[in-house]
Amino acid sequence: MRVDIVTIFPAYLDPLTLSLPGKARESGLLDLRVHDLREWTHDRHRTVDDTPYGGGAGMVMKPEPWGEALDALATPNTTVVVPTPAGRPFSQALARELATRPHLLVACGRYEGIDQRVLDHAAARPDVAEVVEVSLGDYVLNGGEVAALAIVEAVARLQPGFMGNAASLAEESHEDGLLEYPVYTKPASWRGHDVPDVLLSGDHAAIASWRHEQSQRRTAERRPDLLAAASLPGGVEVRPSV
Ligand SMILES: Nc1cc(-c2ccc3ccn(Cc4ccc(CN5CCCC5)cc4)c3c2)n[nH]1
């Protein structure tokens, strides 16, 4: 998979070259490139913003640099991903969908956002398969870079062969629609806190059952909204924790 990220703060995306995505880059699973939007400006001040039509506070990102960035970076099958507070909520399901795409072009806005015509133009381009506006959550950040870090990491780790232990992916939170169970490691007793006996029992069926019950209990307590959607096998009744 190829991912191009366009931003006026390229250094903000440096963390993507460390840890998980870094490994993927070396292994060729992920071809990640970060670009400074100002590459596509031509004035002395490398201007990327201007005052909003209709008035209002702040500035808006000019369409011209974005148009030239698209001309330079779009490939025959590009998905343009645009972080925005007004977008579709990002989720593991959306991450799985984006992970199937051959090329993501992540457009990181700043100021009050990107001129709408950039998104309209992108959607009409024959080389753009889809423009996906994505929200990281119901809060306002200063730009799209933080969302880009999260989106790219969530998508990159779903690439086949990316995670050392593919099995851990299948067990992950939100894969079965429930929150994940608590995890423990050595020592068995720590500052008066003991690891639950079942986890030391070696009884794998009992362990699996305990973990599923813990996931259901946590989901009922913290995310009842997920319970409705979760595919509970056999209609197992969930009792909120007492
Ligand atoms: N999930 C999530 C995503 C973001 C996000 C993503 C991209 C950008 C680009 C610029 N901003 C700052 C920013 C400031 C003020 C407004 C609200 N204005 C009111 C009238 C016009 C706009 C919007 C946007 C972003 C924020 N934030 N949170």
Side-chain angles (χ1 to χ4, degrees):
M1 162 183 272
R2 172 161 162 186
V3 178
D4 288 292
I5 304 176
V6 182
T7 167
I8 59 170
F9 293 121
Y12 214 114
L13 282 301
D14 282 352
L16 283 179
T17 61
L18 314 171
S19 78
L20 275 178
K23 256 191 279 174
R25 294 177 74 176
E26 281 121 48
S27 63
L29 275 176
L30 184 75
D31 176 6
L32 177 70
R33 305 175 197 186
V34 180
H35 310 270
D36 184 341
L37 178 68
R38 295 186 200 274
E39 264 180 59
W40 293 286
T41 62
H42 309 290
D43 63 305
R44 193 153 61 93
H45 298 292
R46 314 190 80 195
T47 309
V48 293
D49 65 311
D50 205 335
T51 52
Y53 276 120
M59 302 290 271
V60 171
M61 299 193 95
K62 294 167 57 61
E64 297 93 334
W66 285 106
E68 292 190 27
L70 273 165
D71 293 343
L73 299 174
T75 60
N77 198 342
T78 295
T79 298
V80 177
V81 177
V82 188
T84 166
R88 174 178 161 193
F90 189 55
S91 64
Q92 192 64 12
L94 182 49
R96 279 198 293 270
E97 171 56 32
L98 293 178
T100 66
R101 305 293 175 88
H103 178 218
L104 302 182
L105 197 166
V106 184
C108 298
R110 278 272 155 171
Y111 307 101
E112 296 293 307
I114 301 172
D115 187 302
Q116 180 59 39
R117 291 169 294 177
V118 173
L119 284 69
D120 299 343
H121 161 74
R125 287 174 69 107
D127 51 4
V128 171
E130 187 180 9
V131 176
V132 185
E133 295 185 59
V134 180
S135 166
L136 204 55
D138 292 337
Y139 42 84
V140 182
L141 299 164
N142 280 333
E145 287 78 10
V146 164
L149 286 167
I151 292 163
V152 171
E153 180 159 316
V155 169
R157 64 196 302 280
L158 292 177
Q159 294 303 301
F162 185 94
M163 289 281 284
N165 170 11
S168 69
L169 267 181
E171 280 197 10
E172 279 193 337
S173 187
H174 299 289
E175 285 300 331
D176 62 359
L178 296 174
L179 299 184
E180 59 215 8
Y181 49 79
V183 291
Y184 302 82
T185 186
K186 294 186 282 297
S189 186
W190 175 73
R191 295 190 178 187
H193 299 275
D194 297 343
V195 172
D197 290 337
V198 66
L199 298 181
L200 308 175
S201 68
D203 177 343
H204 297 293
I207 290 167
S209 171
W210 179 87
R211 284 174 166 172
H212 190 66
E213 194 273 332
Q214 289 293 312
S215 291
Q216 289 189 313
R217 176 188 297 272
R218 267 186 169 184
T219 308
E221 284 167 2
R222 302 177 188 176
R223 291 292 304 277
D225 60 300
L226 289 181
L227 270 196
S231 54
L232 295 180
V236 174
E237 185 207 340
V238 178
R239 292 178 299 286
S241 62
V242 289

